[in-house]
Amino acid sequence: MVNKLNNTQPSIIKLVDVTFGYNEKPILKEVNLELNEGEKVGLVGPNGSGKTTLLYIIMGLIKPQKGKIEILGKLREKEKDFIEVRQKIGLLFQDSDSQLFCPTVKEDIAFGPLNLGKSREEVKILVEEICEFLGIKHLINRPIYKLSGGEKKLVALATVMAMQPVCYLLDEPSTGLDEETKEKVISFLKNQAHTYLVVSHDKKFLKEVTEKIYFLKEGKVFLYQDFSQQG
Ligand SMILES: Nc1ncnc2c1ncn2[C@@H]1O[C@H](COP(=O)(O)OP(=O)(O)O)[C@@H](O)[C@H]1O
Ligand SMILES: [Mg+2]
């Protein structure tokens, strides 16, 4: 189903009145957030404000106590509703160790597309193309435990790219990256990613890759900056 309201693009993510707390302390209070196809959006907020939690809710990794989650135009409630979400929406975890679980780089990047039913040949080419693009071809056979933090971040991004998601959720993607590597991520976002929500504290990075920034504070999401509306 395609949502068309006021000539906007199809809705990818829509949260309506989402409320969540890990215990009695509320983290998200009736949060409303919408991301349409082609939107490149940032999310900022103090440490512990619930940015990672919000991304987990979109992926169905945790369930809100109240509210509605619509992804790709469909209401998502039960665990089985999120199977398609996790195939089509790619989450880059804040902590790369949560993302990587195979013995080597090559196996980790291949895991997702093989699981989607792509052939070994097809996946081999895809893995090589992604590694070439991110400049990590030299790491392809390396065990994960022998990677630096920045290298892990790039490999984690490669595993998400390999799923060819329709939308990316990126949780602090530039943390721990040197300037040159950060430029690669910026180039990827600008040129190859069509729709995304990126959480970051890096204002310069956000200004480069987003056209709109939301702010999460005290459980509420506000529009913070809209570059697309500026001269
Ligand atoms: N599994 C958990 N159990 C209890 N509290 C948690 C858990 N995960 C995160 N929190 C708390 O929820 C709040 C929001 O966390 P998080 O979403 O990680 O914030 P952010 O990503 O904005 O820094 C923080 O106070 C954090 O300590
Ligand atoms: Mg976080």
Side-chain angles (χ1 to χ4, degrees):
M1 191 188 85
V2 174
N3 257 341
K4 289 230 161 155
L5 278 174
N6 305 325
N7 290 329
T8 55
Q9 292 299 104
S11 167
I12 304 286
I13 294 165
K14 188 173 178 188
L15 303 181
V16 183
D17 292 338
V18 164
T19 297
F20 177 80
Y22 288 100
N23 32 53
E24 62 282 2
K25 185 175 158 247
I27 304 288
L28 305 174
K29 301 176 194 165
E30 298 182 337
V31 161
N32 291 291
L33 181 72
E34 205 167 349
L35 184 72
N36 295 327
E37 196 188 311
E39 282 195 301
K40 296 171 181 254
V41 163
L43 178 66
V44 299
N47 289 322
S49 57
K51 303 178 297 296
T52 297
T53 301
L54 185 71
L55 300 187
Y56 284 0
I57 284 179
I58 294 169
M59 299 301 285
L61 300 174
I62 49 182
K63 302 284 187 283
Q65 275 107 24
K66 228 187 85 193
K68 256 183 11 182
I69 306 167
E70 264 179 48
I71 313 280
L72 301 165
K74 285 188 198 155
L75 187 63
R76 312 285 172 168
E77 291 174 313
K78 305 204 167 66
E79 180 54 26
K80 70 170 174 42
D81 300 335
F82 285 94
I83 296 170
E84 187 196 14
V85 173
R86 294 182 200 128
Q87 287 172 350
K88 296 192 174 161
I89 310 286
L91 171 65
L92 179 75
F93 282 84
Q94 182 171 358
D95 171 16
S96 304
D97 287 322
S98 303
Q99 196 115 38
L100 305 170
F101 53 87
C102 292
T104 66
V105 167
K106 148 172 106 180
E107 287 165 286
D108 237 322
I109 305 172
F111 184 87
L114 284 174
N115 234 16
L116 287 180
K118 287 198 186 337
S119 73
R120 293 216 156 258
E121 232 357 83
E122 213 179 336
V123 171
K124 188 164 180 278
I125 295 166
L126 182 65
V127 171
E128 279 171 7
E129 276 174 5
I130 292 170
C131 288
E132 175 82 53
F133 181 83
L134 292 174
I136 52 171
K137 255 188 139 170
H138 61 293
L139 301 176
I140 209 160
N141 292 308
R142 195 171 293 180
I144 296 294
Y145 75 91
K146 286 191 180 169
L147 298 174
S148 75
E151 287 169 342
K152 271 190 195 168
K153 198 83 168 181
L154 281 183
V155 173
L157 177 60
T159 69
V160 182
M161 285 167 73
M163 293 292 283
Q164 299 175 309
V166 298
C167 168
Y168 288 86
L169 305 177
L170 304 151
D171 202 348
E172 305 201 16
S174 69
T175 308
L177 300 184
D178 59 42
E179 286 306 310
E180 195 186 328
T181 312
K182 208 190 276 188
E183 282 306 320
K184 270 182 213 152
V185 176
I186 290 172
S187 158
F188 157 70
L189 289 173
K190 280 184 163 170
N191 303 308
Q192 304 213 351
H194 183 53
T195 308
Y196 51 81
L197 175 69
V198 50
V199 169
S200 181
H201 294 289
D202 186 340
K203 293 267 164 69
K204 192 164 155 265
F205 176 82
L206 281 180
K207 187 144 202 245
E208 287 236 43
V209 300
T210 65
E211 54 211 18
K212 203 194 254 183
I213 298 178
Y214 291 106
F215 186 47
L216 175 58
K217 199 179 172 201
E218 291 167 4
K220 288 283 191 186
V221 172
F222 309 90
L223 181 62
Y224 180 61
Q225 216 158 18
D226 195 344
F227 304 120
S228 66
Q229 302 297 310
Q230 294 173 1

